[in-house]
């Protein structure tokens, strides 16, 4: 089998080039293509965000508007994993193939997560209107953080594996503490993204979506390996 693949690999290597500059140019090209695909996939989010005023009362709607980003992130992480194993200079097919394949499975868990986070956001906004509500703020924030971390692990499982929904949900929950570095990384990305939006604009965040996906894929490598070792049949 390895002999049969050598000519194809040689052609791809010649297409990209063997020098470090050629390899770097190929990476830049792939990231540019990925960014364009991500922007195309989240057009509903872009439209909704442009229509929403920067008012705290709109935060729950903003959370709901972020739903299309989740399938795009899943497809992006999956595409980067596939592209890393290939010298193909046309990486677009990996993204669209993953997007079509995983869209339904992703929305099955991402839609309820978005709805719950929107409710929690609404409660955070109005806690001060209720006697003693401020004391509940740490609890609500902790619950929201746990849901976001769980969703981050579900993103990895959806991008790299074909588990049943309930099995994936259990594995994601079981991985939160053992894979604490990835869990912390997911929260850090969310916090950084929020600061970018607050201090700059949504446009700046949209322009670096490729970096967000790249960091997710990089941080998720130990998670992919651990899940493969512990929860899949490798015979």
């Amino acid at each position: 089998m390895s002999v049969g693949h050598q000519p194809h690999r040689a052609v791809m290597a010649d297409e990209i080039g063997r020098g470090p500059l050629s390899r770097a140019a190929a990476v830049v090209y792939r990231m540019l293509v990925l960014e364009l695909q991500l922007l195309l996939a989240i057009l509903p989010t872009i439209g909704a965000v442009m229509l929403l005023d920067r008012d705290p009362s709109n935060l729950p709607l903003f959370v709901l508007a972020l739903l299309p980003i989740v399938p795009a992130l899943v497809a992006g992480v999956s595409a980067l994993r596939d592209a890393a194993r290939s010298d193909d200079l046309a990486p677009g097919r990996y993204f669209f193939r993953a997007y079509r394949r995983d869209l339904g499975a992703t929305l099955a868990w991402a839609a309820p997560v978005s709805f719950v986070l929107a409710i929690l956001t609404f409660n955070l906004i109005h806690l001060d209107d209720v006697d003693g509500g401020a004391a509940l703020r740490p609890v609500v924030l902790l619950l929201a953080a746990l849901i976001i971390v769980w969703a981050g692990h579900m993103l990895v499982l959806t991008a790299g594996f074909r588990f049943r929904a309930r099995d994936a949900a259990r594995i994601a929950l079981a991985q939160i503490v053992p894979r604490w570095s990835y869990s912390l990384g997911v929260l850090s990305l969310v916090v950084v993204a929020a600061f970018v939006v607050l201090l700059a604009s949504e446009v700046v965040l949209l322009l670096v979506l490729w970096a967000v996906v790249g960091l997710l894929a990089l941080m998720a490598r130990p998670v992919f390996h651990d899940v493969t070792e512990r929860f899949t049949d490798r015979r």
Side-chain angles (χ1 to χ4, degrees):
M1 290 296 292
S2 59
V3 175
H5 284 288
Q6 285 178 354
H8 175 73
R9 299 288 291 186
V11 170
M12 291 304 176
D14 291 337
E15 180 183 1
I16 292 177
R18 301 178 184 276
L21 185 60
S22 298
R23 293 286 177 176
V27 171
V28 172
Y29 172 74
R30 286 172 173 169
M31 292 300 102
L32 178 61
V33 172
L34 176 62
E35 175 69 15
L36 293 175
Q37 291 173 321
L38 289 167
L39 292 176
L40 181 62
I42 66 169
L43 281 177
T45 296
I46 296 174
V49 169
M50 290 178 63
L51 293 174
L52 291 173
D53 293 330
R54 283 202 168 197
D55 187 275
S57 62
N58 286 329
L59 280 176
L61 295 177
F62 180 80
V63 171
L64 291 175
L66 297 179
L67 177 59
I69 293 181
V70 185
L73 293 179
V74 171
V77 170
S78 180
L80 286 183
R81 293 188 73 230
D82 290 338
R85 296 190 288 264
S86 171
D87 289 325
D88 192 353
L89 266 180
R93 61 191 179 94
Y94 297 122
F95 182 90
F96 289 121
R97 181 177 62 191
Y99 191 89
R100 291 193 301 268
R101 180 191 64 211
D102 299 328
L103 178 60
T106 303
L107 292 178
W109 59 264
V113 164
S114 296
F115 182 71
V116 172
L117 288 176
I119 293 177
L120 292 177
T121 303
F122 179 84
N123 289 333
L124 280 173
I125 295 172
H126 297 284
L127 279 177
D128 292 332
D129 300 333
V130 181
D131 291 337
L136 296 175
R137 184 167 284 108
V139 177
V140 177
L141 288 173
L142 178 60
L143 181 58
L146 287 174
I147 293 174
I148 290 172
V149 169
W150 178 84
H153 283 274
M154 284 295 292
L155 188 153
V156 172
L157 295 175
T158 308
F161 304 94
R162 299 293 166 266
F163 294 119
R164 292 179 300 179
R166 64 173 180 269
D167 292 334
R170 293 170 182 168
I171 293 172
L173 187 62
Q175 290 286 93
I176 290 178
V177 175
R179 293 290 124 194
W180 61 268
S181 58
Y182 176 74
S183 301
L184 186 60
V186 170
L187 282 180
S188 299
L189 279 178
V190 172
V191 172
V192 170
F195 271 105
V196 169
V197 171
L198 289 174
L199 299 179
S201 70
E202 294 85 352
V203 175
V204 175
L205 182 60
L206 291 176
L207 292 177
V208 295
L209 276 179
W210 63 271
V212 174
V213 172
L215 285 173
L216 277 173
L218 182 63
M219 294 188 305
R221 285 180 181 176
V223 182
F224 281 120
H225 177 75
D226 189 42
V227 171
T228 301
E229 292 289 330
R230 294 177 56 195
F231 300 104
T232 61
D233 186 358
R234 306 177 70 243
R235 291 179 296 176

